Amino acid sequence: MALDFLLLYEHTVREYESDLLLKLELERRGYSCEIRQLLDRKKLRYFTWKKPRVLVSSNLYDNEGLNSHVYNNIGRCDRVVNLHWEQMLSDTQEEGDWFNMAGNAKKCVQTCWGKKTAERLQAHGMEAKNTPVTGAVMMDFLRPEFKGYFADKETLCRQFGLDASHKLHLYISSFGYASMTEAEVDELSRMAGTDFRGFAKTNRVSMQQTLDWFDRYLALHPEVELVYRRHPSEWNSPALEALAKKRPNFHVIFAGSVKDWIMAADSISIWMSTAIAEVYMAGKSCHILRPVPIEHEYDPVIYKDAHYITNYEEFSDAMAQAEPPFPIAKEIIEGYFDPDPRPAYQRMADLLETVYKEPPRDRPMGPGFTPHFNWLKFFALWGVHILYFFKLEPKKVFFFHKGLADFAQRIYGYIDKAYVSKAQVKAMADRIRPYVQ
């Protein structure tokens, strides 16, 4: 029996909760829906008897993305919707080709969190029918309808061994490039057609100085518990491990949703994360920590003209503020994150229903697209998943060939970061289901 919807995700913490909310809503409406990770093994059933009618992608920028995310997972499909998880861009990125869709990606339905993104994509050649404003699903959990969804501070602190009587400060990191090797930065630069080496250096310097601030502050304030919420790509950092060993009130925690921590925190600081909008939607404020300027071509436009903290003295003073003003203007935030009174997951489900029922809006796999199946990736994924099942790290298995070991180990790391057990999925679904109406 054919599948109605297949949702593909990339980063578990960033996306899975929202995908599951959307899945439960679609199932409530009577549709069949599954969620898979972009690096899951390719399976025959999704090309044949269980081929989905609608493919819902995590990101989709060009023909290569269309080939990798759609054709290599389910074969040909003209009902493609992109959840479009990267929408808070810099001014340079907003004007460039990469983030404004190229090739037949323009013929897919590119969902938009707010009117500003829809206007940008239309200005770069997309049609209004393919740029619907749905709102951001991840913001729904912060709505009044989800009251009681998040654990309170005492429960969260008890779960992670923190002292709930202390002030809980949350830092939301975006230093994804700081953990990347020079080779990985070079590869990403080639893929995107943009030189990220300077920005990677800004990541490293900003991270180092921010950690220095935390080190000084925590030494003087043992009554503060600082939770460092690392970026999904920031998974190998000796600097974080060193500070956690040095300061017992510094905690690198990646478990749970960032929204859990936002709701529980007494104060929040941030660098350049999209989570600043979640802070706003939660009715809270935060501080933007910028030890060094961020190159304008990478700084999200939503941060333009915001109030920044640029040195340790300002940071120390800011931490003492009980109710700081929000550092970004309301009209800017709401231009990128639509404040419609109806939850985004319901609006998104409406869109997916329409795409399901109506003829395809365009033909993304028509003229201009040349499909090709990546057999190397197909066999590599099967091989690495087998190693992962038996907990055999490629760097040990392929010790005799450094190139092969590094290649397989990298995929192994991505698979490990994205893994969600059946028990975790069930617990998450049980938590969300009572709020789906």
Side-chain angles (χ1 to χ4, degrees), residues 83 87 111-114 132-140 336-340 342-345 347-348:
L83 292 183
Q87 297 190 34
T111 62
C112 302
W113 296 340
V133 175
T134 60
V137 175
M138 72 279 196
M139 298 300 178
D140 287 339
Y336 286 93
F337 293 89
D338 188 66
D340 193 277
R342 193 156 181 262
Y345 81 91
R347 298 162 67 192
M348 183 70 75

Side-chain angles (χ1 to χ4, degrees), residues 22 58 79-80 100 122 137 139 171 254 261 314 381 432:
L22 187 55
S58 171
R79 290 181 174 87
V80 180
N100 284 300
Q122 291 169 28
V137 175
M139 298 300 178
Y171 180 71
F254 193 56
W261 293 102
E314 290 179 349
L381 286 175
I432 296 173

Side-chain angles (χ1 to χ4, degrees), residues 101-285:
M101 316 308 167
N104 283 26
K106 289 183 180 291
K107 298 180 181 179
C108 299
V109 180
Q110 304 283 354
T111 62
C112 302
W113 296 340
K115 63 180 181 180
K116 290 288 188 182
T117 299
E119 291 169 354
R120 169 174 60 82
L121 293 180
Q122 291 169 28
H124 284 82
M126 288 199 65
E127 295 185 55
K129 68 180 181 182
N130 288 331
T131 57
V133 175
T134 60
V137 175
M138 72 279 196
M139 298 300 178
D140 287 339
F141 296 96
L142 303 167
R143 296 175 62 91
E145 295 94 322
F146 283 78
K147 183 179 180 181
Y149 180 78
F150 298 102
D152 57 25
K153 177 185 174 182
E154 289 70 24
T155 301
L156 202 60
C157 286
R158 183 168 60 252
Q159 180 181 354
F160 290 95
L162 310 180
D163 190 334
S165 68
H166 289 183
K167 180 179 180 180
L168 178 60
H169 182 78
L170 171 67
Y171 180 71
I172 304 172
S173 171
S174 299
F175 300 126
Y177 290 79
S179 299
M180 296 174 67
T181 65
E182 293 293 345
E184 288 172 330
V185 173
D186 288 343
E187 181 181 346
L188 180 62
S189 299
R190 287 194 298 272
M191 181 179 71
T194 302
D195 189 349
F196 290 115
R197 288 175 296 180
F199 184 52
K201 181 179 179 180
T202 299
N203 271 246
R204 298 183 189 110
V205 173
S206 298
M207 181 179 183
Q208 177 186 349
Q209 293 193 27
T210 300
L211 293 182
D212 287 343
W213 292 0
F214 293 163
D215 186 15
R216 292 175 61 184
Y217 185 83
L218 292 175
L220 298 173
H221 296 275
E223 77 285 357
V224 172
E225 300 273 22
L226 195 155
V227 170
Y228 183 103
R229 176 72 180 192
R230 66 175 178 83
H231 185 270
S233 299
E234 190 182 346
W235 57 283
N236 181 24
S237 176
L240 293 179
E241 294 176 8
L243 186 55
K245 290 179 180 179
K246 183 179 181 181
R247 300 295 175 202
N249 52 342
F250 178 80
H251 313 275
V252 182
I253 300 177
F254 193 56
S257 166
V258 68
K259 292 179 282 295
D260 282 297
W261 293 102
I262 287 173
M263 297 299 288
D266 297 308
S267 64
I268 303 167
S269 57
I270 206 163
W271 185 48
M272 58 175 287
S273 171
T274 60
I276 196 166
E278 294 172 285
V279 176
Y280 177 82
M281 295 297 183
K284 293 195 169 189
S285 190

